[in-house]
């Protein structure tokens, strides 16, 4: 110590004290390679050199020596240290750094002196990872160097300029807890460092060139060893495959290259000191793809990437784990195909990329320009970042590290990998932490991708064999998974629930065309007729048809307990953290292969995390308007209120389960077990018959086709309960279900109806006794004790009140359910009592059971009970035809039919305009036209929705089970149905488009139709001949009050201020078809077709009536006469027209059987069907005449004077 200090006698006391500490540090902490004194002296010299000549012989007293372990344990934030900086130099350095990326701060300065030895390749535990390390007696630290020299190896060095980046990410061991970026050249503390870099002791004189070596390789001689020399032209990354580390480098001699594989552990650090060739920067234009306008790239186009070199600055880190970065703010960088650990890739770092693949728009989820590194590419940091980048929560999610592993396992292309990374982020935002644990997100994203790829496979073959890393690295010409890439694969877009809802809400009104909602006679409708026609409409679109790419939804299926405005409490929902989406769901039957849809009944779906690709978006529009006539439809100010309801329709069998609920897990296992049992039975039979491989093959096929059981990744929440809690259960079979309605239960209120609660009840049959459980049996297989009936089982009425109403959609007649009351061992809670639960409204003769809000219901696989469980069967379901034909005594019917049309009936009560959205839906009266699936017969069903929450899915194209409807007869004997309080609507099949039109009506003979009337059909096609025109009325009508309109409305008591009018025309003609004759009414615009007038002629006719207002003519003898004037030229003209052969010609008409009554009267009757019920029938011949239907049921409506009211569509003209 003293001899050391004697060299510094001239120094001040402060400096001598600093030097004393330095000596002590060298003595205690550095390996005593040389004498401590000599080393310390050398250190001081180097420090003086580093500090710089301008401040020569000035010691950096503010700096303190630090050991590696001290640095690792004490330094929690990134920092940098530079001995040579003056304050101004440092300030300038900070300014420059922060200019580059203004949102980041420069690394803070730490006055620390670092001394250590450099070692290459192997870490403390002996594992060789190829990293350089700085070591001292206290420990070692991984280091990055810009241009390392082998001359530094094993030498004690002073590091004058370095950055230290601690890595505090969880899950990493202490060894990897940080790294050094050695910016400046280290200064050796000893002088004898002139050892040549010749680690293997190669004698270059006996080495051969690359050309010779390549020749030798072609004609291999066993055991031959050669020494090769050449220029290094490419260095591949260090790989660790199954514990063996190796890398590959290329030597070049003129045009000949030779790959060399380095597998010797002691030589791995060579890689770090190889210098590779120069960088050719890419012309900017090639990377400015982002400026190009977005094109819809046809899916699955295969493109070739280009191999380039690139130099730029790393500007942001998208995900360290996934290996995604951004260079120069506009180019994506993906390192996932080179799965090696890297340091120094921080924002602000300058990097050089060699032999990287340039991909343009590989995926819509990434930047347009992507640089991707394969095993042949190399990355070199040319300048360490000066910026202190905080490890942000998004860029360093530990679970992302699984993504490159999935890339390898699933053998993904670049587009697919980028999609996977995007979905991983999206899933994290939308499902974590409520439904999925953060660390499971990657697994989930992998499953999602698998689902999507499976779907795409259905459409086309997926190519790509496994990766061959040696071929990727060594083969010429180069070929790797990045050489070719599939643009836009997967070609679908994962949208959040809230995005899906907003897409539908905007499309709902964007797709609205008011004029298209009107019938063909729209131009002649008065205000009172026009606005109801616009009151409700629906549009459907398929999620898979969305542009620019199909939509994909992911969410948890749920039955919300609380009533929300967007979803009723009794509808199935798909949720994620962004929103809740109502689903109208059906499933296909397992029992047969028909693929026929039916109502959902399986509660195991609740809590499943699913991926939805096939779904129909339904957008219902409710419009309150006061349009005076069709000419005003473009003026939005006549719309007084608009409201929409959006939801999706789907089939549960189309869903992919990403994570099953506990019940679903059980169900899948149980189904598998049953199938295996059946298979064994089959096998035994077959073996008896013949010996062969077919059984084995069949079994394999079954196993391949069965849904693979995926362990749940989702967090169990909501309706599922922890399995350990004791509970009691009761198994029931549902016989009948009534509809949900607001009823007076006398027990508080909920929602918008004061004093009323939502409620429904089912009639069920208990299968056995109430059972006690120590655990929650959920939907497990029915145990014998549960079916062991000791008492005569009667039926029980199960009441669902308030939040329990959520089970409504899943309870179907004929299905078996296990009712579970948790947290109790008291079996009496599940025994129905005879005490009326309803407060005195009506008493039930059967015992009642009120379902509590915490009870759960589990659907059971129908058990095979012996003896058969019941003689009781659910009420039969009829077809539309059966309802039409059944006996008049039947009053309550249940039937199945497809909705072909839906009309909102005008509000008869004259309630003031409503402004609340829910009110728009609440008081609705709706008339549905329901067809059977096969025949053209249809039935009118009147729904009163005022006592029930609005039912989604009641739209044309859907098949609905109507249960508990009242069958009634109209005055002409036509059959219609109307809803009662107990009526229940169940959507049992969903259409994908409203274009699923009615089948063409049957061709009828007038004679036959006249005999059988409405019993045959209401709408038919008639092929006949016009005999003559009996009657013609042309009139300008006030659109407000319906009076004749001349220059103004002619009504005087009270005066009408209307300024708009519509032109209306009615004609009656005699049609005969050989079997009979009918009087057929025609109305606008079919009248002009009947008369054979061209559009200009028709418009001229309208103009000429402007002043007169109206004209009514009828036949007398062979000519037409008017009831007012006789010598009107217009009358002459019409008379001429009506008798011409242009009118009296063959026709094909689509006709509706109707009464003589005029349209408004018919409309009145419509509401009468609903409100007042049956009207008194008149006796005698008039019976045939009094059936009423509205004009708007058909494209255009006509009335038949004698027997029929027929309508004809213009396209039906022959
Ligand atoms: Zn490649
Ligand atoms: Zn008027």
């Amino acid at each position: 110590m003293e001899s050391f200090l004697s060299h510094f006698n001239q120094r001040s006391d402060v400096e001598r004290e600093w030097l004393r500490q330095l000596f002590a540090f060298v003595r205690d902490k550095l390996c005593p390679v040389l004498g401590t004194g000599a080393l310390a002296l050398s250190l001081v010299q180097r420090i003086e050199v580093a500090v710089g000549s301008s401040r020569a012989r000035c010691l950096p007293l503010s700096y303190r020596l630090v050991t590696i372990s001290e640095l690792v344990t004490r330094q929690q934030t990134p920092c940098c240290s530079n001995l040579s900086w003056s304050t101004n130099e440092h300030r300038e350095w900070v300014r420059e750094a922060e200019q580059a990326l203004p949102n980041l701060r420069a690394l803070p300065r730490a006055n620390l002196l670092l001394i250590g030895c450099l070692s290459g390749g192997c870490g403390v535990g002996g594992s060789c990872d190829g990293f350089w390390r700085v070591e001292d007696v206290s420990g070692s630290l991984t280091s990055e160097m810009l241009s390392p020299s082998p001359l530094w190896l094993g030498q004690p060095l002073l590091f004058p300029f370095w950055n230290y980046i601690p890595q505090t990410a969880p899950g990493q061991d202490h060894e990897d807890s940080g790294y050094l970026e050695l910016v400046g050249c280290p200064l050796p503390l000893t002088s004898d460092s002139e050892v040549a870099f010749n680690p293997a002791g190669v004698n270059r004189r006996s080495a051969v060139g690359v050309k010779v070596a390549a020749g030798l390789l072609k004609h291999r001689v066993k055991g031959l060893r050669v020494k090769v020399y050449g220029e290094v032209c490419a260095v591949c990354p260090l790989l660790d495959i199954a514990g063996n580390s190796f890398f590959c480098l290329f030597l070049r001699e003129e045009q000949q290259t030779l790959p060399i594989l380095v597998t010797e552990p002691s030589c791995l650090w060579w890689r770090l000191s190889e210098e590779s060739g120069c960088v050719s920067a890419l012309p900017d234009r090639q990377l400015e793809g982002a400026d190009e306008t977005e094109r819809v790239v046809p899916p699955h186009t295969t493109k070739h990437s280009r191999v380039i070199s690139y130099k730029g600055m790393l500007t942001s880190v998208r995900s360290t784990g996934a290996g995604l970065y951004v260079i120069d703010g506009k180019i994506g960088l993906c390192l996932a195909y080179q799965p090696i650990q890297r340091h120094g890739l921080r924002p602000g770092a300058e990097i050089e990329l060699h032999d990287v693949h340039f991909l343009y728009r590989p995926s819509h989820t990434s930047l347009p320009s992507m640089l991707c590194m394969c095993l042949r590419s190399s990355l070199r940091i040319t300048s360490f970042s000066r910026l202190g980048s905080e490890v942000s929560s998004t860029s360093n999610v530990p679970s992302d590290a699984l993504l490159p592993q999935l890339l390898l396992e699933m053998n993904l292309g670049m587009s697919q990998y980028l999609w996977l990374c995007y979905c991983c982020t999206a899933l994290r935002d939308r499902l974590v932490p409520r439904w999925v644990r953060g660390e499971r997100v990657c697994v989930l994203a992998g499953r999602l991708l698998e689902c999507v790829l499976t779907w795409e496979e259905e459409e086309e073959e997926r190519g790509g064999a496994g990766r061959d890393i040696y071929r990727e690295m060594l083969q010429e010409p180069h070929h790797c998974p990045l050489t070719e890439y599939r643009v836009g694969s997967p070609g679908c877009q994962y949208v959040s629930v809230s995005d899906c809802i907003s897409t539908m809400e905007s499309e709902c009104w964007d797709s609205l065309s008011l004029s298209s909602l009107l019938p063909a006679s729209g131009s002649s409708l008065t205000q009172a007729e026009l606005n109801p026609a616009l009151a409700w409409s629906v549009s459907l679109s398929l999620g898979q048809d969305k542009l620019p790419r199909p939509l994909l939804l992911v969410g948890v299926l749920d039955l919300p307990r609380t009533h929300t405005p967007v979803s009723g409490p009794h509808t199935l929902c798909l949720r994620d953290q962004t929103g809740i989406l109502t689903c109208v769901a059906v499933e296909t039957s397992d029992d047969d292969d028909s693929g026929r849809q039916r109502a959902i009944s399986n509660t195991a779906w609740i809590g499943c995390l699913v991926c939805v690709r096939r779904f129909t978006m339904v957008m219902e529009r409710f419009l309150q308007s006061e349009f005076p006539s069709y000419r005003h439809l473009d003026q939005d100010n006549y719309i007084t209120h608009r409201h929409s309801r959006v939801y999706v329709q789907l089939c549960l069998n189309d869903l992919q389960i990403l994570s099953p609920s506990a019940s679903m897990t059980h169900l899948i296992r149980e189904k598998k077990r049953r199938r295996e049992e059946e298979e064994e039975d089959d096998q035994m039979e077959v073996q008896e018959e013949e010996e062969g491989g077919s059984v084995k093959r069949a079994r394999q096929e079954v196993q391949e086709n069965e849904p693979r059981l995926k362990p749940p990744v989702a967090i169990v929440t909501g309706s599922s309960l922890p399995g350990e809690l004791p509970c009691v259960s009761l198994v029931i079979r549902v016989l009948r279900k009534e509809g949900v309605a607001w009823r007076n239960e006398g027990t508080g209120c909920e929602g918008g109806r004061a004093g009323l609660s939502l409620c429904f009840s089912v009639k069920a049959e208990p299968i056995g006794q109430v059972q006690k459980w120590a655990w929650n049996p959920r939907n497990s297989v029915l145990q014998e004790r549960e079916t062991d009936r000791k008492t005569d089982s009667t039926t029980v009425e199960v009441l669902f009140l308030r939040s329990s109403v959520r089970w409504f959609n899943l309870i179907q007649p004929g299905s078996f359910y296990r009712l579970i009351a948790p947290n109790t061992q008291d079996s009496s809670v599940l025994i129905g009592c005879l005490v009326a639960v309803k407060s005195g409204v009506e008493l039930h003769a059967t015992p009642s059971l009120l379902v509590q809000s915490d009870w759960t219901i589990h659907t059971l696989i129908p058990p095979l009970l012996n003896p058969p469980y019941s003689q009781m069967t659910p009420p039969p379901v009829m077809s539309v035809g059966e309802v039409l034909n059944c006996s008049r005594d039947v009053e309550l019917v249940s039937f199945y039919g497809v909705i072909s049309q839906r009309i909102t009936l005008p509000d008869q009560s004259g309630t003031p305009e409503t402004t609340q959205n829910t009110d728009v839906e609440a008081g609705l009266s709706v008339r549905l036209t329901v067809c059977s699936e096969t025949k053209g017969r249809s039935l009118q069903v009147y729904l009163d929705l005022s006592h029930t929450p609005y039912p989604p899915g009641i739209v044309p194209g859907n098949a609905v089970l109507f249960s508990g409807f009242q069958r009634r007869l109209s005055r002409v004997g036509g059959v219609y149905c109307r809803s009662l309080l107990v009526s229940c609507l169940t959507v049992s099949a969903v259409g994908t488009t409203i274009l699923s039109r009615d089948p063409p009506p049957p061709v009828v003979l007038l004679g036959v139709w006249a005999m059988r009337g409405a019993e045959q059909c209401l709408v038919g096609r008639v092929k006949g001949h016009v005999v003559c025109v009996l009657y013609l009325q042309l009139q300008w009508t006030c659109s407000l009050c319906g009076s004749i309109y001349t220059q103004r409305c002619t009504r005087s008591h009270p005066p009408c201020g209307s300024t708009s009018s519509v032109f209306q025309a009615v004609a009656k003609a005699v049609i005969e078809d050989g079997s009979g004759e009918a009087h057929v009414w025609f109305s606008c615009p079919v009248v002009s077709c009947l008369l054979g007038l061209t559009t200009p002629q028709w418009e001229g006719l309208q103009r000429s009536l402007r002043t007169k207002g109206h004209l009514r003519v009828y036949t007398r003898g062979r000519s037409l006469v008017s009831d007012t004037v006789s010598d009107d030229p217009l009358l002459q003209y019409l008379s001429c027209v009506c008798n011409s052969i242009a009118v009296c010609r063959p026709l094909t008409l689509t006709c509706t059987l109707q009464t003589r009554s005029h349209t408004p009267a018919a409309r009145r009757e419509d509401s009468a069907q609903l409100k007042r019920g049956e009207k008194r029938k008149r006796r005698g011949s008039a019976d045939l005449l009094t059936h009423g239907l509205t004009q708007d049921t058909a494209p255009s409506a006509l009335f038949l004077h004698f027997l029929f009211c027929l309508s004809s569509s213009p396209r039906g003209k022959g």
Side-chain angles (χ1 to χ4, degrees), residues 692-705:
S694 61
V695 181
K696 202 176 171 187
R697 211 162 42 241
R699 169 177 277 199
Q700 270 172 352
E701 269 167 35
V702 170
Q703 279 168 349
E704 277 159 19
N705 293 338

Side-chain angles (χ1 to χ4, degrees), residues 325-611:
Y325 302 83
V326 179
I327 316 171
D328 296 339
K330 60 189 177 189
I331 298 154
L333 172 65
C334 173
L335 307 181
Y337 284 83
Q338 216 189 60
I340 51 172
Q341 212 191 347
R342 288 166 205 283
H343 295 307
L345 292 177
R346 300 183 293 118
E350 304 273 353
I351 55 170
E352 263 180 26
L353 300 164
H354 293 273
D355 301 322
V356 289
H357 292 265
F358 172 67
L359 282 69
Y360 186 65
R361 286 194 194 281
S363 168
H364 65 272
T365 61
S366 69
L367 287 167
S369 301
M370 287 295 298
L371 292 175
C372 307
M373 294 187 58
C374 69
L375 294 179
R376 192 73 167 268
S377 320
S378 61
L379 180 152
R380 204 167 77 89
I381 298 174
T382 54
S383 165
F384 290 119
S385 169
R386 302 176 179 190
L387 296 162
S389 51
E390 315 86 88
V391 179
S392 74
S393 58
T394 50
S395 71
N396 198 359
V397 182
S399 66
D400 275 0
L402 275 174
L403 291 172
Q405 197 181 321
L406 282 172
L407 181 147
L408 277 173
E409 282 170 9
M410 297 174 74
N411 190 26
L412 302 177
M414 191 62 213
S415 308
Q416 294 163 349
Y417 181 69
L418 290 171
W419 196 88
L420 177 76
C421 294
Y422 165 78
C423 283
C424 200
T425 311
L427 287 169
R428 190 174 289 122
D429 292 346
R430 295 163 191 177
L431 296 168
V432 175
R434 185 156 173 196
W435 284 289
V436 177
R437 290 190 299 272
E439 64 270 23
R440 301 292 287 164
V441 163
C442 285
V443 178
L444 196 62
R447 286 182 190 174
L448 183 60
L449 179 64
E450 212 175 306
C451 290
V452 172
L453 292 181
T454 313
W455 279 324
E456 289 191 353
E457 260 179 0
E458 285 171 20
E459 286 150 32
E460 56 180 290
E461 279 299 306
R462 198 164 122 218
R467 284 177 76 178
D468 179 347
I469 50 167
Y470 294 103
R471 216 185 74 174
E472 269 174 49
M473 285 193 293
L474 306 178
Q475 198 184 48
E476 290 290 348
H478 173 63
H479 193 275
C480 75
L482 296 167
T483 310
E484 285 172 7
Y485 61 104
R486 313 266 303 278
V487 179
S489 161
C492 55
Q493 188 176 6
Y494 165 33
V495 289
S496 70
V497 165
S498 65
D499 285 348
C500 181
I501 292 173
S502 53
T503 302
M504 288 195 280
E505 275 168 353
S506 60
E507 190 181 325
C508 178
W509 298 109
D510 291 349
S511 65
L512 176 62
S513 154
L514 288 175
S515 55
S516 72
L517 301 179
L518 297 177
S521 58
S523 63
S524 63
L525 295 183
T526 62
Q527 185 171 347
E529 296 159 333
L530 179 75
N531 291 300
L534 306 173
W536 181 87
S537 57
V538 65
S539 72
L540 306 183
S541 66
L542 295 180
Q544 68 229 52
D545 286 350
K546 277 281 154 294
L547 288 174
R549 51 194 73 84
L551 301 185
L552 183 74
L553 281 169
V554 174
V556 176
L557 288 174
D558 196 14
L559 292 175
R561 280 160 191 265
T562 49
H563 183 94
T564 60
V566 280
S567 76
H570 63 297
T571 48
L572 188 69
C573 288
L574 188 75
R575 340 176 49 160
D576 64 11
Q577 276 165 181
T578 66
I580 178 162
L581 175 63
T582 304
C583 300
V584 172
V586 294
E587 58 189 345
T588 54
S589 166
D590 295 336
D591 309 331
D592 52 37
D593 299 331
S594 64
R596 191 189 160 103
Q597 292 180 340
R598 65 174 185 200
I600 49 168
S601 65
N602 196 347
T603 55
W605 284 101
I606 307 304
C608 287
L609 180 63
V610 296
C611 160

Side-chain angles (χ1 to χ4, degrees), residues 32 82 107 196 204 314 367 375 388 506 540 568 578 818 882 974 1079:
N82 188 342
L107 287 167
R204 270 179 221 178
L314 205 74
L367 287 167
L375 294 179
S506 60
L540 306 183
T578 66
R818 183 184 278 131
E882 284 165 343
H1079 291 187

